[in-house]
Amino acid sequence: MSNPVLVEVTRGNLVESRHRGTVVAVDGDGRTLLSLGETDAAVFPRSACKAMQALPLVESGAADAYGFGAKALALACSSHSGEPEHVALAAEMLAAAGRDHHALECGAHWSSDQKTLIAQARSLEAPSALHNNCSGKHAGFICACCHSGTEVSGYIGYDHPLQQEIRGVMASLTGAILARDNCGVDGCSIPTYAVPLKGLAHGFARMATGIGLGPGRARASRRLIDACMAEPFYVAGTKRACTRLMKLAPGRIFAKTGAEGVFCAAIPEKGIGIALKCEDGATRAAEAMVAATLARFFADEPEIHAGLMAQANHSIRNWNRMHVGDVRVTDALAA
Amino acid sequence: MSNPVLVEVTRGNLVESRHRGTVVAVDGDGRTLLSLGETDAAVFPRSACKAMQALPLVESGAADAYGFGAKALALACSSHSGEPEHVALAAEMLAAAGRDHHALECGAHWSSDQKTLIAQARSLEAPSALHNNCSGKHAGFICACCHSGTEVSGYIGYDHPLQQEIRGVMASLTGAILARDNCGVDGCSIPTYAVPLKGLAHGFARMATGIGLGPGRARASRRLIDACMAEPFYVAGTKRACTRLMKLAPGRIFAKTGAEGVFCAAIPEKGIGIALKCEDGATRAAEAMVAATLARFFADEPEIHAGLMAQANHSIRNWNRMHVGDVRVTDALAA
């Protein structure tokens, strides 16, 4: 069985490349609202589930103890571009717990955003772990450990108490079994677990609605989702897809990308959770897919619908800024 | 109908992403030696056909008139990384014809190679058209025009005499009809024509063998192929796939990448031409596909075979240099 083609990339009058994918949207009770492709297949959510991984930071009381506002909570759920504001805030979060970048175990890398990389190349000898796109999440991990008195060193390991706690949180939210046999290691070295896409969507529907969650988890979930929607720059960065999607309908759309073509999203007021994966891992296609999927649920609000579809379907320009083709979602998704 | 999965990307014990594709290998007489997927489908060759587009430079006598050796001819067929040697040689080629970078109509961009981009960011205010990965090809175009007395300005246009000549060359080599309805505009603003993948492979088999070509075209074709094999750094750059593939078997493998997951290759001594396209446009998959396809034709030379398969199947490391997964070709291709 093959997943349907959901995004096409054209050049001139022809389709040049095709992206297949899987999309699922569910409500807080787990009822399927939209299903395309093999939605029972297990998918590594990668960074798309960072808001789930940030729950211990809030539930433990660490976020309050360290005085974290919406920006810090958004950064804890982020894959940021390493812009100066992101780097400074990650350092502040660590400082609140009496730590610095030496505690980070995520590794260092240059920004994947070209403009930011050029600025970094001109001002830095080399990037530090603070510039890693995951430094906010890792700062949150370290703060959670410090607050609870758990040993920080080795916090990225499968058997570390924090990762055990995260495993429990994610199993409960997604309804999936998380164990060594569906575990991989993420880019930032923490465990990532392949879970059915539908379970992932249901997890975000639960976070957005609180349905089926205890009151503490429901409050913490909503606080993290609200923080991301309130501070979308801190979830990604300038011109990034997550940031642009959340800015289109302030306080109404949550969206978070993950590596290898994953996207998770929620529309809290409608009680909807969304998860999708581009089969080939392409970010450009996952971005088009999530925008078009969100648009289906804003059909009665022309301005938001048009804004989302403008992110789904957009032109490709060459080095001379000539319009040479388009990225567009297929009828299977846009319908 | 769907193309087969030819490359898988794994994480832990699971397949995380999948790439479908089409591969064809033919001999100089057009006999099919290998065929996977829809090989009659039309594909934009993009930069993978630059050696074809460089034929007027050689056939017109311009390359000899301007004293171009193997490095300049390789650069005329290249998608280079914008390393200092590439930029300097493109400038020299233009100077030989009494021109400079102002004549280039390809647009400017920063290097897509991270290490080169960082060096450029530290030494340049902004890139010029000489840094464009296509500047060698465009310098060759300009030299061909200058030598024949054709107006240089507008040399990128569909109706310009040079593009008409290239259209004729490519139609003859590939056996395809090239016209406005299968024409797109490439990243560097010249026309690119969607042609059946098998025709593209046949064109490179013809260039490598001379079969079916007049003596002048056969000589010019072989001279360009030989120049690329002799100077693989000038076809791409440090650590780039084309360069590494050609270095594996010096003088025996020609390989050239194109945007959106295309690769063309030839094994002149065996009379083989190869063309392939990753359906979703992914470079990582096209690189694995071309290495594995070439390896099939070196089964009796263990060292070269192993070197090619090591490029096809390779590990993925995260920011802490941990081995987290692999890129690997499927049995459909590796068989």
Side-chain angles (χ1 to χ4, degrees):
Chain A
M1 180 179 162
S2 64
N3 289 316
V5 174
L6 299 182
V7 175
E8 293 175 336
V9 180
T10 69
R11 184 164 298 268
N13 299 318
L14 302 171
V15 174
E16 184 167 25
S17 298
R18 291 172 177 80
H19 296 280
R20 296 167 185 274
T22 317
V23 178
V24 62
V26 303
D27 67 17
D29 294 313
R31 277 186 294 256
T32 301
L33 306 174
L34 171 68
S35 176
L36 297 167
E38 303 178 66
T39 58
D40 291 330
V43 163
F44 285 111
R46 309 292 301 275
S47 293
C49 70
K50 279 176 173 168
M52 294 179 178
Q53 296 166 330
L55 279 165
L57 171 69
V58 178
E59 292 180 359
S60 67
D64 286 327
Y66 298 127
F68 291 166
K71 287 178 182 173
L73 292 182
L75 198 72
C77 302
S78 79
S79 298
H80 65 71
S81 291
E83 295 174 75
E85 298 90 334
H86 302 129
V87 175
L89 183 53
E92 281 174 37
M93 290 169 69
L94 289 166
R99 303 285 174 141
D100 66 15
H101 65 277
H102 293 100
L104 292 168
E105 298 181 359
C106 49
H109 65 82
W110 294 100
S111 177
S112 56
D113 172 68
Q114 192 188 69
K115 198 173 167 187
T116 306
L117 169 54
I118 290 166
Q120 287 179 345
R122 288 172 173 168
S123 61
L124 301 171
E125 184 64 33
S128 81
L130 286 171
H131 300 91
N132 186 310
N133 76 88
C134 298
S135 69
K137 176 180 72 175
H138 281 249
F141 288 168
I142 291 165
C143 290
C145 292
C146 288
H147 180 69
S148 64
T150 309
E151 170 69 33
V152 169
S153 175
Y155 70 85
I156 57 176
Y158 184 90
D159 290 320
H160 187 279
L162 177 69
Q163 297 305 332
Q164 292 185 39
E165 184 180 357
I166 290 172
R167 196 150 57 239
V169 167
M170 289 191 60
S172 154
L173 286 170
T174 64
I177 294 165
L178 310 185
R180 284 207 184 270
D181 64 351
N182 63 339
C183 179
V185 176
D186 213 326
C188 67
S189 299
I190 69 162
T192 178
Y193 308 91
V195 298
L197 199 66
K198 192 178 168 185
L200 201 56
H202 195 185
F204 278 98
R206 284 182 169 127
M207 284 188 75
T209 60
I211 294 175
L213 307 183
R217 176 149 302 163
R219 254 195 323 272
S221 294
R222 192 54 201 254
R223 186 168 161 197
L224 285 164
I225 298 279
D226 284 348
C228 292
M229 294 194 298
E231 297 290 349
F233 170 79
Y234 286 90
V235 179
T238 306
K239 293 190 180 175
R240 292 271 305 281
C242 298
T243 303
R244 288 183 291 120
L245 288 166
M246 290 192 278
K247 279 185 166 178
L248 266 178
R252 304 180 64 193
I253 290 174
F254 165 83
K256 180 68 191 76
T257 191
E260 293 293 332
V262 178
F263 238 108
C264 289
I267 310 173
E269 71 194 60
K270 298 177 194 280
I272 297 171
I274 293 165
L276 61 87
K277 158 113 179 139
C278 172
E279 179 181 282
D280 59 73
T283 298
R284 69 177 177 187
E287 292 177 353
M289 289 176 198
V290 73
T293 303
L294 285 164
R296 290 172 73 120
F297 298 106
F298 285 96
D300 55 348
E301 295 187 63
E303 195 177 336
I304 293 173
H305 186 272
L308 289 165
M309 289 311 294
Q311 290 202 30
N313 300 325
H314 56 88
S315 57
I316 300 170
R317 297 188 177 275
N318 73 5
W319 303 118
N320 283 324
R321 303 291 305 152
M322 296 165 69
H323 176 206
V324 294
D326 295 281
V327 172
R328 66 184 188 201
V329 294
T330 62
D331 289 346
L333 184 53
Chain B
M1 180 177 162
S2 65
N3 290 315
V5 174
L6 299 180
V7 175
E8 293 174 338
V9 179
T10 69
R11 183 165 299 266
N13 299 318
L14 302 172
V15 174
E16 183 167 25
S17 299
R18 292 171 176 83
H19 296 282
R20 297 166 185 274
T22 317
V23 179
V24 61
V26 303
D27 67 15
D29 295 314
R31 277 185 294 255
T32 301
L33 307 173
L34 171 67
S35 177
L36 297 167
E38 303 178 66
T39 58
D40 291 330
V43 163
F44 284 111
R46 309 291 302 273
S47 292
C49 71
K50 279 177 174 169
M52 295 178 176
Q53 295 166 329
L55 279 165
L57 171 70
V58 178
E59 292 180 359
S60 68
D64 286 328
Y66 298 127
F68 290 166
K71 287 178 182 172
L73 293 182
L75 198 73
C77 302
S78 79
S79 299
H80 64 73
S81 291
E83 294 174 76
E85 300 89 332
H86 302 130
V87 175
L89 183 53
E92 281 175 37
M93 290 169 70
L94 289 167
R99 302 287 173 139
D100 66 15
H101 67 275
H102 293 99
L104 292 168
E105 298 181 0
C106 49
H109 66 81
W110 295 100
S111 178
S112 54
D113 173 68
Q114 191 188 70
K115 199 173 165 187
T116 307
L117 169 54
I118 290 166
Q120 287 178 345
R122 289 170 172 169
S123 62
L124 301 171
E125 183 64 35
S128 80
L130 286 170
H131 300 92
N132 186 308
N133 77 89
C134 298
S135 69
K137 176 180 75 175
H138 281 248
F141 287 168
I142 291 165
C143 289
C145 291
C146 289
H147 180 69
S148 65
T150 310
E151 171 69 33
V152 169
S153 174
Y155 70 86
I156 57 175
Y158 184 91
D159 290 320
H160 186 279
L162 178 68
Q163 297 304 334
Q164 292 185 38
E165 184 180 355
I166 289 172
R167 195 147 63 236
V169 167
M170 290 191 58
S172 155
L173 286 169
T174 63
I177 294 166
L178 310 185
R180 286 208 184 267
D181 64 352
N182 63 339
C183 180
V185 175
D186 213 326
C188 66
S189 299
I190 70 164
T192 178
Y193 309 91
V195 299
L197 200 65
K198 191 178 168 186
L200 200 56
H202 195 186
F204 277 98
R206 285 182 168 128
M207 283 188 76
T209 61
I211 293 174
L213 307 182
R217 176 149 302 164
R219 255 195 323 273
S221 293
R222 192 55 201 251
R223 189 169 159 196
L224 286 164
I225 298 281
D226 284 348
C228 291
M229 295 193 297
E231 298 289 350
F233 169 79
Y234 287 90
V235 179
T238 305
K239 294 190 180 175
R240 291 273 305 280
C242 298
T243 301
R244 289 185 290 122
L245 288 165
M246 291 193 277
K247 279 184 166 178
L248 267 179
R252 303 179 66 193
I253 289 173
F254 165 83
K256 180 70 192 76
T257 193
E260 292 294 332
V262 178
F263 239 108
C264 289
I267 310 172
E269 69 193 59
K270 298 179 195 278
I272 295 170
I274 292 164
L276 63 85
K277 158 117 181 136
C278 171
E279 181 181 281
D280 59 72
T283 296
R284 68 177 177 187
E287 291 177 354
M289 290 177 198
V290 73
T293 303
L294 285 163
R296 290 172 74 119
F297 298 106
F298 284 96
D300 56 348
E301 295 187 63
E303 195 177 335
I304 293 173
H305 186 273
L308 289 165
M309 287 312 294
Q311 290 203 28
N313 300 326
H314 56 87
S315 57
I316 300 171
R317 294 185 180 276
N318 73 3
W319 302 118
N320 283 325
R321 305 291 304 151
M322 295 165 69
H323 176 204
V324 294
D326 294 283
V327 173
R328 67 185 188 202
V329 295
T330 63
D331 289 347
L333 184 54

